[in-house]
Amino acid sequence: KLGHPEKDLRIIHIAGTNGKGSVSAFLRSVFECAGLKTGMFTSPHLVDFRERIKVQGDMISKEDTMRLGNRLLSMDFGVCPTMFDYCLAMALLYFKEQKCDVVILETGLGGRLDATTAVENPVACVITSISLDHMQFLGNTVREIAGEKAGIIVPGVPVIYDGNDKDAAEVIAAKAKELGSPAYKVVQAGAKVLGNNKDGIDFSLEDDYYGDTRFHIPFIAWYQVMNASLALTTMEVLKDRIPVTLEQLQAGIANTR
């Protein structure tokens, strides 16, 4: 009914229990340092509904929210959309209108049955740390929950995932193999911490692509090294589709807020 606005967008689809917001923030900062117009869809909001839909870090205006909201509410979709369905549709329409170069799209809950899986053509799927949460909907074990999160994986589309939990990693890897999707496991041990103080943490990934390049994150929480590693691995995987210089990567990671 809306003409598939998502098909004209380069979308990175992100699922997971913890870290979605952080990985999204790292990616957004990198893209903006590279001069790319970036849309970001997140949930829930903390203060203002419009936090869910941002372009270049700026919330959608009240006027655009009302304009697109009224348009959507006036349409007959043949089903009864949820509030989240309307919000996602509004975001995708807005990102297309704004001619975003890249869109970061977070799932709302789970993955397999999440409305965001209406996007069938992401450039990459990212799955962050998985733990026991929303168990009444997603399952009673990490393996069951990982199966739900792995529902965002699309045949042939690369998936970058947190591989620190063995059970979750096995489920995600198996799903990726089933769908013929290139899979890239990221683990905490893959990052070498070079220094840390009150201003943040310096680290390197020391893989074949980044070598011993030094990255700085402005956070003192050790788990943010893992989230930054997921973002950097995503950029490595997408280097041909969304080229970004090493200097832009370093600046983006360092300037994340």
Side-chain angles (χ1 to χ4, degrees), residues 41-99:
F41 177 73
T42 59
S43 61
H45 61 275
L46 299 179
V47 178
D48 189 318
F49 167 84
R50 297 178 300 132
E51 294 168 26
R52 294 167 177 255
I53 303 171
K54 293 181 179 179
V55 173
Q56 297 299 87
D58 295 325
M59 296 188 293
I60 183 173
S61 69
K62 291 183 178 179
E63 292 75 18
D64 284 322
T65 301
M66 290 181 65
R67 173 178 60 82
L68 291 171
N70 284 328
R71 173 185 167 188
L72 290 166
L73 290 169
S74 69
M75 295 178 69
D76 179 9
F77 293 106
V79 294
C80 185
T82 65
M83 175 267 192
F84 189 80
D85 295 333
Y86 279 123
C87 188
L88 172 64
M90 181 187 294
L92 293 172
L93 288 171
Y94 185 64
F95 295 148
K96 183 177 179 180
E97 285 181 358
Q98 292 292 307
K99 296 180 170 59

Side-chain angles (χ1 to χ4, degrees), residues 80 121-122 158 184 199 240:
C80 185
N121 61 325
Y184 302 86
D199 297 318
D240 295 327

Side-chain angles (χ1 to χ4, degrees), residues 185-231:
K185 181 167 74 170
V186 181
V187 294
Q188 190 79 42
K192 180 180 179 182
V193 173
L194 305 174
N196 67 301
N197 56 40
K198 64 180 177 60
D199 297 318
I201 301 173
D202 289 354
F203 71 99
S204 63
L205 287 185
E206 300 190 319
D207 64 3
D208 292 339
Y209 183 69
Y210 289 117
D212 59 357
T213 301
R214 192 182 191 99
F215 294 99
H216 174 80
I217 56 172
F219 309 109
I220 60 172
W222 288 77
Y223 59 79
Q224 291 293 14
V225 173
M226 184 63 204
N227 291 326
S229 298
L230 282 166

